[in-house]
PDB file of all heavy atoms in Angstrom:
ATOM      1  N   GLU B 398     -21.626  19.197  15.085  1.00  0.00           N
ATOM      2  CA  GLU B 398     -22.715  18.441  15.240  1.00  0.00           C
ATOM      3  C   GLU B 398     -22.513  16.868  15.354  1.00  0.00           C
ATOM      4  O   GLU B 398     -23.463  16.146  15.502  1.00  0.00           O
ATOM      5  CB  GLU B 398     -23.677  18.637  13.942  1.00  0.00           C
ATOM      6  CG  GLU B 398     -24.114  20.158  13.872  1.00  0.00           C
ATOM      7  CD  GLU B 398     -25.035  20.296  12.662  1.00  0.00           C
ATOM      8  OE1 GLU B 398     -25.887  19.411  12.374  1.00  0.00           O
ATOM      9  OE2 GLU B 398     -24.923  21.319  12.015  1.00  0.00           O
ATOM     10  N   ASN B 399     -21.319  16.421  15.335  1.00  0.00           N
ATOM     11  CA  ASN B 399     -20.982  15.079  15.662  1.00  0.00           C
ATOM     12  C   ASN B 399     -21.719  14.129  14.647  1.00  0.00           C
ATOM     13  O   ASN B 399     -22.125  13.046  15.097  1.00  0.00           O
ATOM     14  CB  ASN B 399     -21.373  14.717  17.152  1.00  0.00           C
ATOM     15  CG  ASN B 399     -20.347  15.147  18.074  1.00  0.00           C
ATOM     16  OD1 ASN B 399     -19.190  15.515  17.766  1.00  0.00           O
ATOM     17  ND2 ASN B 399     -20.762  15.308  19.386  1.00  0.00           N
ATOM     18  N   ARG B 400     -21.698  14.601  13.391  1.00  0.00           N
ATOM     19  CA  ARG B 400     -22.406  13.663  12.491  1.00  0.00           C
ATOM     20  C   ARG B 400     -21.442  12.699  11.866  1.00  0.00           C
ATOM     21  O   ARG B 400     -20.340  12.903  11.771  1.00  0.00           O
ATOM     22  CB  ARG B 400     -22.999  14.503  11.370  1.00  0.00           C
ATOM     23  CG  ARG B 400     -24.198  15.267  11.774  1.00  0.00           C
ATOM     24  CD  ARG B 400     -24.732  16.253  10.676  1.00  0.00           C
ATOM     25  NE  ARG B 400     -25.829  17.004  11.203  1.00  0.00           N
ATOM     26  CZ  ARG B 400     -27.077  16.698  11.008  1.00  0.00           C
ATOM     27  NH1 ARG B 400     -27.463  15.743  10.249  1.00  0.00           N
ATOM     28  NH2 ARG B 400     -28.105  17.500  11.481  1.00  0.00           N
ATOM     29  N   SER B 401     -22.007  11.501  11.502  1.00  0.00           N
ATOM     30  CA  SER B 401     -21.197  10.521  10.822  1.00  0.00           C
ATOM     31  C   SER B 401     -21.167  10.826   9.318  1.00  0.00           C
ATOM     32  O   SER B 401     -21.924  11.728   8.876  1.00  0.00           O
ATOM     33  CB  SER B 401     -21.866   9.085  11.046  1.00  0.00           C
ATOM     34  OG  SER B 401     -23.131   8.989  10.314  1.00  0.00           O
ATOM     35  N   TYR B 402     -20.215  10.095   8.601  1.00  0.00           N
ATOM     36  CA  TYR B 402     -20.079  10.264   7.183  1.00  0.00           C
ATOM     37  C   TYR B 402     -21.484   9.977   6.554  1.00  0.00           C
ATOM     38  O   TYR B 402     -21.856  10.614   5.540  1.00  0.00           O
ATOM     39  CB  TYR B 402     -19.049   9.389   6.602  1.00  0.00           C
ATOM     40  CG  TYR B 402     -17.615   9.889   6.719  1.00  0.00           C
ATOM     41  CD1 TYR B 402     -17.399  10.940   7.676  1.00  0.00           C
ATOM     42  CD2 TYR B 402     -16.608   9.386   5.987  1.00  0.00           C
ATOM     43  CE1 TYR B 402     -16.079  11.499   7.757  1.00  0.00           C
ATOM     44  CE2 TYR B 402     -15.279   9.836   6.049  1.00  0.00           C
ATOM     45  CZ  TYR B 402     -15.063  10.925   7.038  1.00  0.00           C
ATOM     46  OH  TYR B 402     -13.732  11.302   7.150  1.00  0.00           O
ATOM     47  N   VAL B 403     -22.180   8.945   6.975  1.00  0.00           N
ATOM     48  CA  VAL B 403     -23.469   8.549   6.368  1.00  0.00           C
ATOM     49  C   VAL B 403     -24.424   9.805   6.539  1.00  0.00           C
ATOM     50  O   VAL B 403     -25.200  10.058   5.621  1.00  0.00           O
ATOM     51  CB  VAL B 403     -23.951   7.354   7.061  1.00  0.00           C
ATOM     52  CG1 VAL B 403     -25.414   7.026   6.556  1.00  0.00           C
ATOM     53  CG2 VAL B 403     -23.064   6.155   6.622  1.00  0.00           C
ATOM     54  N   GLN B 404     -24.498  10.384   7.713  1.00  0.00           N
ATOM     55  CA  GLN B 404     -25.454  11.478   7.966  1.00  0.00           C
ATOM     56  C   GLN B 404     -25.067  12.747   7.083  1.00  0.00           C
ATOM     57  O   GLN B 404     -25.906  13.379   6.577  1.00  0.00           O
ATOM     58  CB  GLN B 404     -25.475  11.799   9.439  1.00  0.00           C
ATOM     59  CG  GLN B 404     -26.140  10.750  10.199  1.00  0.00           C
ATOM     60  CD  GLN B 404     -25.906  10.952  11.705  1.00  0.00           C
ATOM     61  OE1 GLN B 404     -24.900  11.449  12.226  1.00  0.00           O
ATOM     62  NE2 GLN B 404     -26.842  10.542  12.485  1.00  0.00           N
ATOM     63  N   MET B 405     -23.717  12.833   7.036  1.00  0.00           N
ATOM     64  CA  MET B 405     -23.267  14.051   6.183  1.00  0.00           C
ATOM     65  C   MET B 405     -23.553  13.915   4.754  1.00  0.00           C
ATOM     66  O   MET B 405     -23.812  14.803   4.012  1.00  0.00           O
ATOM     67  CB  MET B 405     -21.672  14.215   6.418  1.00  0.00           C
ATOM     68  CG  MET B 405     -21.295  14.697   7.796  1.00  0.00           C
ATOM     69  SD  MET B 405     -19.546  14.656   8.138  1.00  0.00           S
ATOM     70  CE  MET B 405     -18.975  15.867   7.005  1.00  0.00           C
ATOM     71  N   GLN B 406     -23.550  12.614   4.207  1.00  0.00           N
ATOM     72  CA  GLN B 406     -23.833  12.304   2.933  1.00  0.00           C
ATOM     73  C   GLN B 406     -25.171  12.817   2.514  1.00  0.00           C
ATOM     74  O   GLN B 406     -25.543  13.371   1.447  1.00  0.00           O
ATOM     75  CB  GLN B 406     -23.819  10.759   2.726  1.00  0.00           C
ATOM     76  CG  GLN B 406     -23.427  10.336   1.327  1.00  0.00           C
ATOM     77  CD  GLN B 406     -23.279   8.730   1.369  1.00  0.00           C
ATOM     78  OE1 GLN B 406     -22.817   8.146   2.470  1.00  0.00           O
ATOM     79  NE2 GLN B 406     -23.557   8.090   0.303  1.00  0.00           N
ATOM     80  N   ALA B 407     -26.224  12.612   3.449  1.00  0.00           N
ATOM     81  CA  ALA B 407     -27.500  13.068   3.257  1.00  0.00           C
ATOM     82  C   ALA B 407     -27.737  14.594   3.249  1.00  0.00           C
ATOM     83  O   ALA B 407     -28.494  15.037   2.523  1.00  0.00           O
ATOM     84  CB  ALA B 407     -28.437  12.428   4.444  1.00  0.00           C
ATOM     85  N   VAL B 408     -26.786  15.279   4.032  1.00  0.00           N
ATOM     86  CA  VAL B 408     -26.883  16.613   4.037  1.00  0.00           C
ATOM     87  C   VAL B 408     -26.296  17.327   2.891  1.00  0.00           C
ATOM     88  O   VAL B 408     -26.744  18.203   2.270  1.00  0.00           O
ATOM     89  CB  VAL B 408     -26.297  17.180   5.423  1.00  0.00           C
ATOM     90  CG1 VAL B 408     -26.165  18.720   5.372  1.00  0.00           C
ATOM     91  CG2 VAL B 408     -27.047  16.754   6.586  1.00  0.00           C
ATOM     92  N   LEU B 409     -24.948  16.768   2.608  1.00  0.00           N
ATOM     93  CA  LEU B 409     -24.145  17.438   1.474  1.00  0.00           C
ATOM     94  C   LEU B 409     -24.425  16.941   0.207  1.00  0.00           C
ATOM     95  O   LEU B 409     -24.076  17.588  -0.830  1.00  0.00           O
ATOM     96  CB  LEU B 409     -22.688  17.327   1.899  1.00  0.00           C
ATOM     97  CG  LEU B 409     -22.254  17.895   3.182  1.00  0.00           C
ATOM     98  CD1 LEU B 409     -20.757  17.477   3.510  1.00  0.00           C
ATOM     99  CD2 LEU B 409     -22.374  19.379   3.181  1.00  0.00           C
TER     100      LEU B 409
END
Side-chain angles (χ1 to χ4, degrees):
Chain B
E398 294 185 41
N399 282 339
R400 287 174 184 260
S401 67
Y402 277 17
V403 170
Q404 290 167 331
M405 287 170 70
Q406 210 172 328
V408 174
L409 299 174

